């Protein structure tokens, strides 16, 4: 059921894509549905180039035949379609439970428009209700950043995957900061980024132009107020 909703949101985002566009490809299961859908459109003649936000998405895009580019060859991306772990009522996001937050943020900030695709389980009134804040750190700084975040409150856990320390596509570690409800996402995003050794965090404040939400009643498009 959830998977059907994720797919429905992702398929709706295909309406945003036109021939000639440079498209940012997000990471995660919902973004995966979008990539597969885009692959089918490419096979039927749609002409796009895409910038993936992870090795996982790059492999999937190659598999389904989407021509790839990068931020050196294509400085500006027309539209990026990505998933999220939490979407607040003001359309701020927590991302990065899939571990691709740094490339996702770089691609999002290089995009004219960012469209987020989610099932309704990702909606919260305020960020931090359910998800921790992923914080990607240079491995040498994992302890010092963890100490600083702990001083600010909550609980910090070094991310593990398959009983090993998780290493991102960039060769870094990820701290999951169980912060609790976030009152000022934009401010906290800046504060985390200000800690030496932090590469970036999974708070994406003021990034999404539109969020496509799928639930049992259908598809709902939420727009960021101008
Ligand atoms: C990847 O790093 C994340 O930002 C994903 O976008 C997020 O975890 C959403 O994943 P799902 O679409 O699999 O729920």
């Amino acid at each position: 059921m959830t998977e059907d909703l994720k797919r429905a949101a992702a398929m709706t985002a295909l309406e945003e894509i036109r021939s000639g566009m440079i498209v940012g490809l997000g990471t995660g299961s919902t973004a995966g549905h979008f990539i597969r859908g885009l692959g089918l459109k490419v096979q039927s003649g749609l002409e796009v180039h895409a910038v993936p936000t992870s090795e996982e998405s790059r492999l999937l895009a190659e598999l389904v035949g989407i021509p790839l580019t990068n931020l050196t060859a294509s400085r500006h991306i027309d539209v990026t379609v990505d998933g999220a772990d939490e979407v607040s009522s003001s359309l701020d996001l927590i991302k990065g439970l899939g571990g691709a937050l740094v490339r996702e943020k770089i691609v999002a900030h290089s995009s004219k428009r960012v469209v987020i695709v989610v099932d309704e389980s990702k909606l919260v009134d305020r960020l931090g209700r359910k998800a921790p804040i992923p914080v990607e750190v240079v491995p040498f700084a994992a302890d010092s950043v963890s100490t600083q975040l702990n001083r600010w409150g909550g609980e910090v856990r070094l991310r593990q995957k398959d009983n090993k320390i998780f290493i991102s596509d960039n060769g870094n570690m990820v701290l999951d900061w169980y912060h609790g409800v976030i009152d000022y996402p934009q401010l906290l995003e800046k504060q985390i980024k200000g800690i030496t050794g932090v590469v970036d965090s999974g708070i994406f404040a003021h990034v999404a132009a539109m969020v496509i939400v799928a639930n049992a009643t259908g598809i709902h498009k939420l727009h960021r107020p101008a």
Side-chain angles (χ1 to χ4, degrees), residues 6 26-31 82-85 94-101 104 117 119 122 204:
K6 288 180 175 190
T27 295
S29 56
T30 320
D82 201 348
D85 301 304
I94 289 181
K95 290 182 47 53
L97 292 199
L101 61 117
E104 288 173 340
V117 282
D119 67 275
K122 306 293 183 62
F204 285 53

Side-chain angles (χ1 to χ4, degrees), residues 6-119:
K6 288 180 175 190
R7 191 179 300 106
M11 293 307 108
T12 304
L14 288 171
E15 295 166 7
E16 305 295 314
I17 311 301
R18 306 271 175 274
S19 257
M21 280 186 164
I22 307 290
V23 182
L25 303 176
T27 295
S29 56
T30 320
H33 288 303
F34 173 78
I35 295 170
R36 282 185 284 271
L38 189 62
L40 289 175
K41 292 248 176 196
V42 167
Q43 283 163 33
S44 326
L46 183 79
E47 289 184 12
V48 293
H49 284 82
V51 179
T53 54
S54 62
E55 291 306 303
E56 176 191 313
S57 292
R58 182 180 63 77
L59 288 171
L60 180 57
E62 282 176 352
L63 190 73
V64 299
I66 302 172
L68 298 179
T69 181
N70 56 46
L71 290 175
T72 307
S74 308
R75 298 270 162 100
H76 299 288
I77 294 171
D78 293 294
V79 60
T80 286
V81 177
D82 201 348
D85 301 304
E86 278 190 355
V87 178
S88 75
S89 50
S90 47
L91 305 195
D92 292 326
L93 317 170
I94 289 181
K95 290 182 47 53
L97 292 199
L101 61 117
V102 168
R103 294 190 191 183
E104 288 173 340
K105 199 175 277 193
I106 293 167
V107 167
H109 281 277
S110 305
S111 301
K112 290 182 197 152
R113 196 147 179 271
V114 175
V115 173
I116 297 296
V117 282
V118 292
D119 67 275

